[in-house]
Amino acid sequence: MARQLSDNLVQLTTNTCVSNAQIGRVSLESVGSHTDVASIDLSYQTDGMAITTESSFARVADSVNEHIGTLEKNIIHIERLHSEAIYATSPFRYTQVLRTREQYADDTDAVITKARSGLQVMASAANDPNIHKGDRAMRGGRHVALARKLRDQIEIYRKMEREQATRNRDRLARLYKVACPSASDVEIYGAIEDPVAGKELAQKITEVCRPAEARKVLKDVADRQGDIVTIERTVGELTKLHVDISEIVNRQQRKLDTIVVSVERVETSRTLGR
């Protein structure tokens, strides 16, 4: 999940940074009520293409909002599966839960990508210099609101994953303690963080446990340490994504503020001229 998310992040960041002058204006007429935003060919953006109606823009915004809603639900499911994995008592059940969780993680990655694609289309439409400033302000406001909403869900996701990494460490520490009661907390948590210390503690476990029991414990330890690495990689990718979306929000907000100030000045001039 983390590697795929990273690839999508690099691609979308590259696309988002392209200026409106380079990409032209996006035709939103092709975005029907049953069309997935992710299916839009974002490379098909030619100068002279007319921006469509506000209803077309609204359909894209509604689609983005639906994707964010799906993301919120997926985060809840992933958190539940994290808990099931932590307390799984059999290798079969543990593997089964991880497989299901990975499927949800992949689906969540795709949902985030679709939401980002939709926001990208909205940004192009909101920044079109050929529409009235008032319309740009309305479009920009909707775009910023949804971008913030996506950013907030990414932060919830990141916080949840970080907490799950801590819970996995605590679970791993209990496994070590049961297998080797004489090990101190310093030794145990050192083994979790440092591969060399982990080998030393593994050697102790093989000395105090029967061979079959030692193999079972060490296999469980290795699986859960691998899961911690996977979770922390996801946290890192979500952190990058959160920063990227925050930059988009701030950039669009500055543009929106400029438009609002300009509109207010025009309205003030009209009022004074009456």
Side-chain angles (χ1 to χ4, degrees):
M1 183 268 185
R3 181 176 180 180
Q4 185 181 0
L5 188 61
S6 178
D7 293 341
N8 290 336
L9 174 61
V10 170
Q11 181 62 41
L12 284 168
T13 301
T14 301
N15 290 340
T16 303
C17 291
V18 179
S19 68
N20 286 329
Q22 291 172 305
I23 65 176
R25 294 185 292 278
V26 183
S27 173
L28 302 181
E29 287 292 0
S30 61
V31 187
S33 58
H34 301 292
T35 303
D36 193 340
V37 173
S39 67
I40 299 172
D41 182 4
L42 295 178
S43 64
Y44 185 65
Q45 300 166 358
T46 309
D47 284 333
M49 186 74 71
I51 293 293
T52 61
T53 63
E54 294 304 316
S55 62
S56 297
F57 182 85
R59 284 197 293 271
V60 177
D62 289 343
S63 179
V64 171
N65 195 46
E66 288 177 7
H67 290 316
I68 296 173
T70 301
L71 171 60
E72 183 177 4
K73 293 176 182 177
N74 280 10
I75 292 170
I76 294 172
H77 286 302
I78 292 172
E79 185 173 20
R80 174 180 56 80
L81 290 166
H82 272 308
S83 295
E84 290 186 17
I86 287 175
Y87 296 110
T89 56
S90 71
F92 173 77
R93 178 58 182 162
Y94 180 72
T95 301
Q96 187 180 46
V97 171
L98 287 191
R99 187 177 295 116
T100 303
R101 193 191 69 191
E102 186 63 26
Q103 290 172 350
Y104 266 105
D106 289 343
D107 180 65
T108 300
D109 181 19
V111 167
I112 292 172
T113 300
K114 290 175 184 177
R116 287 290 308 278
S117 296
L119 287 172
Q120 194 174 350
V121 172
M122 290 177 68
S124 297
N127 296 326
D128 180 14
N130 296 308
I131 63 175
H132 189 272
K133 288 182 179 180
D135 292 334
R136 270 193 281 164
M138 287 188 290
R139 290 180 177 184
R142 188 76 192 275
H143 174 260
V144 168
L146 286 173
R148 283 199 182 107
K149 191 174 180 180
L150 177 60
R151 181 189 61 185
D152 291 345
Q153 286 302 315
I154 293 295
E155 175 58 21
I156 290 171
Y157 190 10
R158 180 178 66 163
K159 182 179 178 182
M160 182 271 290
E161 290 287 296
R162 190 185 296 118
E163 290 173 351
Q164 296 307 319
T166 299
R167 292 180 66 192
N168 267 278
R169 282 188 174 84
D170 292 341
R171 172 66 173 170
L172 192 52
R174 288 194 294 271
L175 286 175
Y176 272 129
K177 195 66 176 178
V178 170
C180 189
S182 63
S184 67
D185 289 344
V186 173
E187 286 180 299
I188 289 173
Y189 281 96
I192 293 173
E193 302 298 335
D194 181 18
V196 175
K199 289 180 180 179
E200 293 175 355
L201 189 53
Q203 181 60 36
K204 279 189 176 183
I205 291 174
T206 59
E207 292 172 357
V208 300
C209 296
R210 290 191 294 269
E213 182 181 357
R215 284 195 298 271
K216 180 179 180 301
V217 170
L218 294 177
K219 173 65 165 60
D220 199 3
V221 164
D223 288 343
R224 293 182 183 276
Q225 280 186 315
D227 196 27
I228 291 172
V229 171
T230 298
I231 293 172
E232 290 184 335
R233 187 181 302 121
T234 299
V235 170
E237 298 300 337
L238 290 171
T239 298
K240 294 177 183 177
L241 185 58
H242 184 271
V243 170
D244 182 63
I245 296 176
S246 294
E247 290 176 353
I248 292 173
V249 169
N250 294 336
R251 184 164 58 246
Q252 188 65 31
Q253 185 64 57
R254 286 193 295 270
K255 292 180 181 179
L256 180 59
D257 290 342
T258 300
I259 294 171
V260 170
V261 169
S262 178
V263 170
E264 289 176 347
R265 285 175 178 171
V266 171
E267 291 300 322
T268 301
S269 298
R270 288 177 179 175
T271 301
L272 294 175
R274 290 175 183 173

